[in-house]
Amino acid sequence: MQRLDKILTTYTACSRREAADLIKRGLVQANALICRDPAARFDPAGLVLQIKGEIVPIRLQNHLMLYKPAGFVSATEDPREKTVLDLIDPSDLYPLPFPAGRLDKDATGLLLLTSDGELCHRIISPKKELYKTYLVEVQGKLGAEDAEKISQGLVLESEERFLPGMLEILESGDISLASLKICEGKFHQVKRMMASLGKPVLSLKRTAIGGLALDEILSPGAYKRLTPADIEAIFQ
Ligand code: URA
């Protein structure tokens, strides 16, 4: 059960002040009855909410797939930088989604945004062993020895350890291209892994999270709502 004013601020574009004002003026109906008490409690699931006579549908969770372009930080707010939420239409920000795992400002590709804390945890916790796939372009020639080291679990000079990953070399030359699967999301992890092999990252794109691939229909900066089948696909 949640307070009516909280329901308005969580599931609609109302600010706290607007919510209290609308409720006190008798402009909000809950289950067809005017409710003038901002502290009255309702279960948002199944609540029929009307504001000024209009039914306002309540979306309990908000799950989005974004093709993150370069130049945006994976945060809900930032004092200086543009955030991935700046790419989302204001009408799609209720309830507020947050990034399930970060991509660096210069990295691109699949970013899931969700309002569901439990789903977020299942996606990002290394204990859940959900592999994320990256297309990584590096300076230098990738070889079988690099794939072997990654499959053993890299240990950096600082003694920091990374869990074993899988490197599939797609092109090998002065500049190499590979697909890398890892199930952790440590700070700059892919860049630090490849740098430790002496092959600095030139570009990085996340192409899949678990069994869910970036939808090719999306162009950089575009997003779509996830279906229940998409959410299931993540964990398959
Ligand atoms: N690893 C990185 O180095 N950067 C990312 O954005 C994601 C994984």
Side-chain angles (χ1 to χ4, degrees):
M1 302 288 267
Q2 288 179 22
R3 286 174 58 116
L4 186 57
D5 53 0
K6 172 90 170 115
I7 291 176
L8 261 68
T9 56
T10 304
Y11 302 102
T12 80
C14 284
S15 67
R16 282 177 76 161
R17 181 181 293 222
E18 285 163 347
D21 182 59
L22 286 167
I23 296 167
K24 286 184 185 152
R25 286 167 57 207
L27 296 174
V28 177
Q29 284 170 272
N31 298 329
L33 294 175
I34 292 175
C35 178
R36 293 175 187 270
D37 178 7
R41 289 182 173 265
F42 298 91
D43 182 353
L47 173 68
V48 180
L49 179 69
Q50 283 165 274
I51 300 179
K52 296 182 185 165
E54 297 277 316
I55 291 194
V56 179
I58 291 184
R59 188 194 302 127
L60 292 176
Q61 295 290 3
N62 195 6
H63 311 293
L64 306 172
M65 170 190 283
L66 171 69
Y67 185 163
K68 181 193 170 300
F72 290 78
V73 295
S74 301
T76 51
E77 50 189 13
D78 190 280
R80 282 172 299 275
E81 308 281 1
K82 289 177 289 181
T83 77
V84 289
L85 289 196
D86 292 324
L87 295 161
I88 310 297
D89 190 277
S91 64
D92 288 327
L93 287 176
Y94 304 97
L96 189 70
F98 43 89
R102 274 175 300 187
L103 281 176
D104 294 337
K105 185 177 168 192
D106 61 352
T108 64
L110 173 56
L111 188 69
L112 296 180
L113 299 161
T114 178
S115 58
D116 183 343
E118 209 227 333
L119 177 64
C120 180
H121 179 70
R122 287 173 70 201
I123 292 172
I124 66 179
S125 170
K127 289 199 189 115
K128 305 285 180 193
E129 292 193 14
L130 187 72
Y131 281 83
K132 287 85 188 180
T133 309
Y134 296 88
L135 188 63
V136 55
E137 187 188 34
V138 298
Q139 182 85 54
K141 196 168 164 59
L142 281 172
E145 65 290 354
D146 297 309
E148 177 62 20
K149 284 182 195 159
I150 287 176
S151 74
Q152 298 293 316
L154 287 175
V155 185
L156 304 189
E157 270 175 24
S158 61
E159 294 187 3
E160 186 177 359
R161 288 169 180 276
F162 293 124
L163 292 171
M166 288 160 266
L167 185 78
E168 186 192 347
I169 300 166
L170 304 172
E171 286 170 24
S172 187
D174 293 344
I175 290 176
S176 302
L177 192 65
S179 163
L180 174 66
K181 287 185 197 294
I182 53 172
C183 66
E184 303 170 284
K186 291 184 175 168
F187 184 64
H188 292 332
Q189 177 158 345
V190 175
K191 290 176 185 163
R192 291 192 297 137
M193 287 171 72
M194 303 317 284
S196 80
L197 299 170
K199 322 254 155 82
V201 167
L202 299 174
S203 72
L204 183 61
K205 176 180 176 185
R206 184 155 61 201
T207 55
I209 294 180
L212 182 67
L214 176 64
D215 192 332
E216 291 298 329
I217 210 160
L218 296 175
S219 50
Y223 66 95
K224 68 170 198 178
R225 195 164 289 291
L226 291 184
T227 63
D230 289 331
I231 294 173
E232 256 181 48
I234 299 173
F235 303 103
Q236 273 161 10

